[in-house]
């Protein structure tokens, strides 16, 4: 009987240790800009309705961990970038300033997971001076190299972002991820396959109750997820792969409501509001 009691105690102790070692994460969507252009669903989803409006916002996602980590998915952009003009921004607040609503200062950000290197997701890296930056290796190599060759495709990339990212690499702050289904931080995995850029990635976070996927531009808007259609032309290098990735996300997430697109303002209506332009994804 004594041996059984000791065994039960040992099992309970080991479970407690494992639980204590597993970080608890909270996730927030933080809006920092809003497009004033009257976009329709068909502008963002292949063969989507041409008369149905869609609210396009620009966001970063903050993952706050009990392990002291403050992790951003994507870094947003600075106000002077030329490409932002076509979106006719209605509102804009620098991403680091928007995070102050959650009491998080720029130097508090420990990690940034880049879904892909388009200007609206990477241009704000310089705002966070202490962050380690996680990026897919093949995405980085194309972004910093082949995209700028004569036969390359540099659409959506900004030269200053390339220079900044190369400098981060030289400084030892850039961490290159080699492939799919990789746990980069305890409780946080990245996946590839959507081909929004050369090797874009999305993020799976295990919170206390849910498995949340921050898809970023691996799903532009909810319509694509709901109807399993690729983005409008130019939104992916592999339309079939994009749809396959969304199907996979549905198997990975705890609930389809916890698959979060990159630009659909509806997410700010679906979750509890904690500040102006900020919701907690729970």
């Amino acid at each position: 009987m004594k041996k059984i009691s000791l065994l039960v105690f040992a099992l309970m102790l080991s479970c407690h240790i494992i639980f204590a070692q597993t970080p608890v994460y909270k996730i927030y969507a933080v809006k920092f800009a809003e497009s004033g252009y009257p976009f329709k669903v068909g502008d963002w989803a292949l063969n989507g309705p041409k008369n149905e409006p869609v609210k396009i916002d620009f966001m970063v996602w903050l993952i706050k961990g009990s392990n002291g980590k403050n992790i951003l998915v994507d870094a947003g952009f600075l106000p002077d970038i030329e490409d932002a003009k076509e979106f006719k921004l209605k509102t804009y607040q620098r991403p680091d300033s928007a995070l102050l609503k959650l009491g998080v200062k720029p130097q508090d950000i420990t990690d940034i997971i880049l879904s892909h290197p388009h200007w609206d997701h990477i241009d704000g890296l310089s705002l966070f001076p202490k962050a380690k930056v996680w990026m897919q290796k093949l995405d980085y190599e194309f972004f910093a190299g082949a995209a700028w060759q004569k036969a390359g495709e540099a659409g959506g990339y900004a030269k200053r972002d390339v220079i900044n990212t190369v400098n981060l690499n030289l400084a030892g702050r850039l961490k290159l991820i080699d492939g799919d289904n990789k746990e980069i931080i305890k409780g946080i995995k990245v996946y590839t396959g959507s081909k929004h850029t050369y090797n874009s990635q999305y993020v799976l976070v295990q919170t206390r109750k849910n498995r949340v996927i921050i898809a970023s531009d691996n799903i532009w808007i909810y319509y694509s997820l709901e109807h399993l259609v690729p983005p409008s032309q130019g939104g992916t290098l592999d339309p079939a792969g994009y749809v396959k990735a969304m199907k996979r996300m549905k198997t990975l997430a705890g609930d389809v409501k916890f698959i979060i697109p990159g630009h659909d303002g509806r997410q700010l209506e679906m979750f509890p509001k904690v500040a102006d332009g900020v919701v907690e994804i729970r």
Side-chain angles (χ1 to χ4, degrees):
M1 188 68 179
K2 187 176 180 181
K3 286 183 178 179
I4 294 173
S5 297
L6 286 171
L7 179 61
V8 170
F9 175 75
L11 286 170
M12 289 176 65
L13 181 62
S14 63
C15 288
H16 175 75
I17 290 169
I18 290 168
F19 181 78
Q21 290 175 341
T22 304
V24 177
Y25 293 112
K26 291 185 176 183
I27 307 172
Y28 302 89
V30 182
K31 172 183 163 182
F32 66 91
E34 178 182 345
S35 173
Y37 189 88
F39 284 114
K40 308 300 185 207
V41 169
D43 296 323
W44 293 81
L46 190 65
N47 299 322
K50 296 291 185 182
N51 57 353
E52 184 180 327
V54 62
K55 189 173 184 294
I56 297 300
D57 289 338
F58 294 88
M59 283 158 283
V60 294
W61 297 268
L62 176 69
I63 306 167
K64 286 182 68 70
S66 60
N67 53 357
K69 292 277 190 183
N70 287 302
I71 304 160
L72 279 186
V73 178
D74 296 336
F77 60 88
L78 301 178
D80 63 336
I81 193 152
E82 191 69 22
D83 295 82
K85 290 181 179 177
E86 66 182 273
F87 288 90
K88 302 185 184 300
L89 297 182
K90 223 163 102 174
T91 62
Y92 174 86
Q93 184 177 28
R94 236 171 52 176
D96 56 337
S97 298
L99 287 166
L100 292 175
K101 298 172 188 175
L102 291 168
V104 176
K105 299 174 184 176
Q107 61 269 28
D108 296 335
I109 299 299
T110 57
D111 301 82
I112 299 173
I113 304 171
L114 281 177
S115 63
H116 66 291
H118 282 156
W119 60 271
D120 53 322
H121 297 261
I122 194 173
D123 191 57
L125 283 181
S126 60
L127 300 173
F128 307 101
K130 295 184 179 180
K132 183 188 300 180
V133 177
W134 301 84
M135 185 176 184
Q136 279 290 327
K137 181 175 181 287
L138 292 179
D139 229 12
Y140 171 76
E141 289 173 351
F142 184 79
F143 170 64
W148 303 94
Q149 297 296 306
K150 189 174 181 180
E153 176 51 67
Y157 299 156
K159 290 181 179 180
R160 73 184 191 187
D161 294 333
V162 176
I163 294 166
N164 189 30
T165 310
V166 169
N167 284 337
L168 285 172
N169 192 28
L170 294 174
R173 286 175 50 203
L174 183 65
K175 304 299 176 183
L176 297 177
I177 308 162
D178 194 5
D180 175 62
N181 192 7
K182 302 287 185 180
E183 185 174 61
I184 58 172
I185 300 167
K186 186 71 174 175
I188 298 177
K189 286 186 175 184
V190 294
Y191 296 84
T192 60
S194 300
K195 300 289 281 186
H196 175 62
T197 52
Y198 196 80
N199 203 33
S200 58
Q201 61 184 356
Y202 54 95
V203 183
L204 173 66
V205 185
Q206 177 65 62
T207 68
R208 189 186 291 277
K209 293 184 177 180
N210 304 299
R211 293 189 304 279
V212 176
I213 287 178
I214 303 171
S216 188
D217 286 9
N218 297 285
I219 305 173
W220 264 342
I221 60 173
Y222 280 108
Y223 184 92
S224 281
L225 178 63
E226 291 161 355
H227 297 270
L228 290 176
V229 296
S232 55
Q233 190 171 4
T236 177
L237 301 170
D238 180 4
Y242 196 97
V243 172
K244 185 178 178 182
M246 288 190 289
K247 291 178 179 178
R248 186 189 191 191
M249 290 179 204
K250 289 186 174 186
T251 70
L252 293 170
D255 185 312
V256 70
K257 76 175 273 191
F258 294 115
I259 301 174
I260 311 301
H263 287 287
D264 198 320
R266 265 173 58 194
Q267 66 192 266
L268 296 171
E269 302 166 3
M270 294 173 59
F271 299 100
K273 179 179 177 179
V274 296
D276 187 32
V278 181
V279 296
E280 183 178 352
I281 298 172
R282 60 178 171 83

